[in-house]
Amino acid sequence: MSTPSSTQGAPLASEKRETFSSRKLFILSAVGSAVGLGNIWRFPYVAYENGGGAFLIPYLVAILCAGIPLLFLDYSIGHRYRGSAPLAYRRANRKTEMLGWWQVLICFVIAIYYAAIIAWAAMYCWFSITKAWDKNADGAEGFFMQDFLQVSDTVGVSFDFVGRIFVPMLIVWLVTMVIMIAGVNKGISRANAVFMPLLIVMFVILVVQSVFLPGAIDGLNAFFTPNFEALQNPAVWAAAFGHIFFSLSVAFGIMVTYSSYMKRKSDLTGSGYVVAFANSGFELLAGIGVFAALGFMAHNAGSSVDDVATSGIGLAFIAFPTIVSQAPLGGLIGVLFFGSLVFAGLTSLISILEVIVAAFQDKLGWKRTPATLVVVLPVALISLILFPTTTGLYLLDTMDAFVNQFGILACALVMVIVFGAGLGMLPKLAKHMNRHSSIKLGTGWKVLVGGIGPAALGYMLINEVQSKINEPYSGYPTWFNGIFGWGMAGALIVGAVLMSLIPWGKNSKINDPEFDQHKANVNAEELPEPAGKEY
Amino acid sequence: MSGIAIVFMIISMLTIWGGLAVSLINLSRHPEKDDDHVIETAETAGNPSL
């Protein structure tokens, strides 16, 4: 692989493939990826809406029966075939390369809008100190929509830029670029080693402060009171499976990429359980913090918790600012809450970008810095053109909804069908996982990934297709949802097919002596099979 | 808070945070292995069964 390049100014890789220098750093980075905005602003409301305390039952079932098994599928492919998503899938089977590019393109779409939310949250840290929303007659909602985002009345695409969103977004992209250029060990690991402990400390302080607010107990009461009738509703179970699926960052290439940087003799399942429960542990903490704060908000407004409970952008940028204005030491609550969103978001954004950077690094055979620049610069540029505008919120809303359902969910369904029933690779992958792992995968895992997985994912996807066809998403015009929703989701598939048709050059990592060595080592470790039994 | 809400709060904390604690204990009982100690034989290097 030391072929000199006469045309590229020698950006070709001569460096060794990076690995996480310790298991601790892998776990921190994987938790950093899994703990994102959804843990803070989505989980509390999903749990509250779907049975409160009783939601714990479908939630745990979903973690154990879908979340962790799918996480292990990602780990096994990335670790065994040691490559970015397209390369790992190609090495598993030539025909599955397209799945890897599909995931790369999904990550591209998520990255371009994710950076915008991080930038908003960073600005709201500052606004929490100045209580900027108090000056707007319509309160926090008016401030967010009119003063801050300056949202256009007509749904469409405009290029009216909003300066105070553009600048923080530019800073987010610059910070991210520096981390990505520094690589897996000096960039991703270090960023997670700093941001994750900081996030946990900040969030714990926030939760402690919230539970001592007046009315907080009413919020917790609403959050934990079980509604057992909800358990008879299939939609509640689908909500639990759907939430876990998105929360754990499975099936969009991130865990394939991260596990490819793990040492060969890693305890994959043991680490995976820590990642999954750390992710859920953080969500539970978020549920307590958010509902304690909402309890205070309801107490102050003289209304019930049900009236103020909300999720997503409404919770973060409308409900929380109201709480910040009213609570004692509100400024501190705001800085801790929005700071947590920034750190949780950044560590997830890094992992999303790594899927794309690693794929291009493998395909081009370039060194880290040029490969990062060739990926992050165009992604940042597109993000900075589309989202800091007066129509950015509409785009973000539609793209987020459609890429989640018809990108990640659809890709996951295809993946479990292809690797399970299609290629019958689950026994081979389980055997690979079991080689050095503390918790062994048996028939149960193969049934969950090959049987329950397709059934649960298929049910969710059919439900989503029906609901999105029945009424236009968010009431937006048909052309808008058609282009940026359905069209975008379809373009990802077409793009993935086209990308998989581009041949791998002689400088690419398809012929990698380092991988041949890894392959030889893995094969050397395989136990001989008893005669007649074939994997 | 009602009694049932307190019970469910405690069960949630025990299962989720307890699950994290058990996972961490399991992991600490299986220390990281070093890749360098793997037996690598020349005969197996060409085995294309991966």
Side-chain angles (χ1 to χ4, degrees):
Chain A
M1 287 304 294
S2 56
T3 321
S5 165
S6 54
T7 53
Q8 306 285 356
L12 294 180
S14 58
E15 52 205 0
K16 271 190 80 172
R17 185 177 175 78
E18 287 195 273
T19 49
F20 282 109
S21 58
S22 75
R23 183 166 72 184
K24 204 185 288 172
L25 285 173
F26 164 76
I27 291 174
L28 261 181
S29 304
V31 175
S33 170
V35 171
L37 304 172
N39 294 61
I40 299 174
W41 77 20
R42 192 172 185 277
F43 170 76
Y45 188 71
V46 169
Y48 170 72
E49 273 285 275
N50 292 286
F55 184 71
L56 181 70
I57 297 161
Y59 179 78
L60 284 176
V61 170
I63 293 177
L64 297 172
C65 294
I68 293 177
L70 284 173
L71 186 67
F72 290 162
L73 177 65
D74 275 3
Y75 278 5
S76 63
I77 297 169
H79 189 257
R80 185 174 176 90
Y81 299 105
R82 201 177 263 201
S84 59
L87 184 57
Y89 291 124
R90 188 189 166 100
R91 281 173 175 160
N93 188 298
R94 212 185 159 89
K95 290 176 192 146
T96 58
E97 183 186 335
M98 174 262 173
L99 279 178
W101 290 112
W102 194 2
Q103 294 178 338
V104 167
L105 293 173
I106 287 169
C107 287
F108 160 73
V109 172
I110 297 173
I112 59 173
Y113 69 75
Y114 218 78
I117 304 172
I118 299 171
W120 299 349
M123 285 304 285
Y124 266 63
C125 278
W126 171 246
F127 295 152
S128 297
I129 298 166
T130 62
K131 310 240 173 27
W133 40 77
D134 286 348
K135 293 177 196 108
N136 190 299
D138 296 329
E141 183 169 5
F143 174 79
F144 181 65
M145 300 296 278
Q146 299 150 17
D147 298 350
F148 182 58
L149 295 184
Q150 299 173 25
V151 177
S152 154
D153 291 335
T154 45
V155 180
V157 183
S158 86
F159 295 101
D160 293 334
F161 286 93
V162 182
R164 64 174 173 178
I165 303 174
F166 184 87
V167 175
M169 270 186 79
L170 185 66
I171 295 169
V172 167
W173 278 113
L174 289 175
V175 170
T176 314
M177 183 136 41
V178 170
I179 296 170
M180 298 310 292
I181 286 176
V184 176
N185 263 313
K186 289 181 184 156
I188 296 174
S189 294
R190 276 191 195 170
N192 280 292
V194 174
F195 292 156
M196 287 311 287
L198 207 58
L199 168 66
I200 292 161
V201 170
M202 284 170 66
F203 211 81
V204 168
I205 299 173
L206 173 71
V207 171
V208 171
Q209 202 185 346
S210 301
V211 294
F212 286 107
L213 291 171
I217 298 299
D218 299 333
L220 294 180
N221 198 35
F223 183 63
F224 283 112
T225 301
N227 167 17
F228 291 109
E229 280 172 23
L231 299 182
Q232 294 163 9
N233 183 356
V236 168
W237 290 82
F241 276 79
H243 178 77
I244 279 298
F245 173 73
F246 292 117
S247 176
L248 269 179
S249 306
V250 287
F252 53 114
I254 295 175
M255 291 302 159
V256 171
T257 310
Y258 271 12
S259 62
S260 78
Y261 299 131
M262 278 180 98
K263 290 174 185 164
R264 193 176 65 257
K265 287 191 162 187
S266 299
D267 180 353
L268 294 163
T269 56
S271 306
Y273 270 93
V274 173
V275 172
F277 276 99
N279 177 60
S280 295
F282 190 88
E283 284 189 331
L284 179 61
L285 201 61
I288 295 169
V290 164
F291 268 83
L294 289 173
F296 164 76
M297 191 176 165
H299 170 88
N300 243 25
S303 57
S304 73
V305 176
D306 196 49
D307 294 330
V308 295
T310 175
S311 70
I313 289 173
L315 172 76
F317 297 101
I318 296 168
F320 253 87
T322 313
I323 294 163
V324 167
S325 290
Q326 294 167 350
L329 289 175
L332 179 65
I333 292 184
V335 170
L336 291 172
F337 177 78
F338 292 110
S340 297
L341 282 183
V342 170
F343 291 135
L346 265 181
T347 49
S348 298
L349 178 62
I350 290 168
S351 68
I352 291 165
L353 282 171
E354 180 59 21
V355 175
I356 319 174
V357 172
F360 277 80
Q361 219 180 340
D362 282 346
K363 184 87 186 189
L364 300 169
W366 286 8
K367 284 185 177 172
R368 182 79 195 183
T369 306
T372 305
L373 290 174
V374 90
V375 168
V376 181
L377 282 177
V379 175
L381 192 69
I382 295 169
S383 171
L384 287 168
I385 289 173
L386 291 177
F387 293 94
T389 65
T390 53
T391 50
L393 183 65
Y394 299 126
L395 265 183
L396 189 153
D397 192 17
T398 297
M399 286 171 107
D400 179 52
F402 280 79
V403 81
N404 277 323
Q405 307 302 346
F406 307 118
I408 305 174
L409 192 57
C411 184
L413 177 62
V414 175
M415 203 176 138
V416 286
I417 293 173
V418 166
F419 283 94
L423 298 170
M425 283 187 72
L426 299 182
K428 190 178 185 177
L429 295 172
K431 201 175 152 204
H432 177 82
M433 293 289 278
N434 290 343
R435 185 73 51 229
H436 295 294
S437 290
S438 56
I439 301 160
K440 307 294 179 198
L441 304 181
T443 312
W445 179 74
K446 290 166 223 164
V447 171
L448 289 172
V449 174
I452 309 288
L457 294 166
Y459 176 81
M460 284 188 274
L461 190 63
I462 291 169
N463 267 351
E464 280 304 323
V465 172
Q466 280 175 340
S467 78
K468 293 245 174 10
I469 286 177
N470 287 344
E471 52 183 307
Y473 178 70
S474 273
Y476 296 152
T478 312
W479 71 266
F480 187 81
N481 282 334
I483 294 175
F484 299 103
W486 297 106
M488 177 271 298
L492 297 185
I493 300 173
V494 175
V497 171
L498 293 177
M499 296 289 274
S500 66
L501 293 176
I502 299 173
W504 292 70
K506 66 175 168 35
N507 293 324
S508 73
K509 289 284 180 187
I510 194 84
N511 302 310
D512 183 8
E514 209 184 317
F515 177 71
D516 295 338
Q517 178 65 39
H518 165 78
K519 192 162 103 172
N521 285 331
V522 169
N523 284 333
E525 287 174 346
E526 299 270 320
L527 295 173
E529 284 304 324
K533 193 179 175 192
E534 205 174 296
Y535 278 99
Chain B
M1 267 176 99
S2 65
I4 188 99
I6 293 173
V7 168
F8 267 82
M9 182 173 78
I10 293 170
I11 295 175
S12 304
M13 288 171 171
L14 283 179
T15 47
I16 295 176
W17 291 341
L20 176 60
V22 171
S23 312
L24 282 168
I25 292 168
N26 168 64
L27 199 65
S28 67
R29 284 192 185 157
H30 295 85
E32 269 186 279
K33 296 180 211 167
D34 199 339
D35 273 2
D36 298 343
H37 296 159
V38 159
I39 307 154
E40 293 166 17
T41 57
E43 298 84 64
T44 54
N47 186 344
S49 72
L50 197 75

